Amino acid sequence: MSILTDLLFPYVAETQSVIVRVSVSFLADQSQPERGRWFWSYHIRIENVGEQPVQLLSRRWIITDGHGARHRVEGEGVIGAQPVLAPGESYDYVSGCPLDTPTGSMEGTYRMMGADGESFEARIPRFALVGSAVAE
């Protein structure tokens, strides 16, 4: 990819010709630190650099807050879709994550299926959630 893509998506993982890129933004306007609420937006780009189509079937997230508490989130598809990516295609989506602490992290996997019927777990790289630590 390009240097610009690397700058826009600093977190990257590749599994079996599926590249998952992540960028994250702290949303100060949707956070309420005085009430113990911080909110982030994350942008995911999933790229198929392989030679066969792949479909995203499900997701599994591990969200860790600033106290080390881990929360698991699992479900079908992403934002209501189970996209099929032909070779060379990518799929982008944006979602969000609230926490009760000003820091944390997210990581996980996507269950993917190739055109050959074989399924595999594509790794979502661990990325940091860092917000404003104190209310003014």
Side-chain angles (χ1 to χ4, degrees):
M1 267 283 145
S2 70
I3 292 173
L4 180 58
T5 299
D6 292 342
L7 291 173
L8 292 174
F9 295 96
Y11 304 96
V12 181
E14 183 172 355
T15 309
Q16 290 186 227
S17 300
V18 172
I19 298 174
V20 178
R21 300 180 187 275
V22 183
S23 68
V24 62
S25 300
F26 174 64
L27 300 180
D29 61 330
Q30 294 184 33
S31 298
Q32 298 176 317
E34 68 283 358
R35 293 191 168 148
R37 192 79 163 160
W38 289 265
F39 197 83
W40 291 266
S41 169
Y42 55 90
H43 179 168
I44 304 278
R45 175 171 293 163
I46 304 163
E47 302 171 5
N48 179 2
V49 296
E51 297 181 6
Q52 67 171 327
V54 294
Q55 181 175 17
L56 188 154
L57 301 176
S58 63
R59 69 191 181 285
R60 178 178 299 142
W61 286 103
I62 299 171
I63 304 166
T64 306
D65 71 18
H67 300 300
R70 301 179 96 181
H71 310 279
R72 295 184 187 276
V73 177
E74 298 183 28
E76 290 188 11
V78 291
I79 61 167
Q82 292 181 310
V84 175
L85 285 77
E89 287 187 337
S90 64
Y91 181 81
D92 286 65
Y93 75 94
V94 176
S95 192
C97 178
L99 283 182
D100 296 334
T101 60
T103 62
S105 67
M106 292 179 67
E107 63 189 303
T109 57
Y110 294 120
R111 165 76 55 192
M112 308 294 291
M113 181 172 292
D116 60 5
E118 294 292 318
S119 67
F120 62 95
E121 300 287 327
R123 190 170 74 83
I124 304 166
R126 183 178 188 274
F127 55 95
L129 304 172
V130 180
S132 176
V134 292
E136 298 193 28

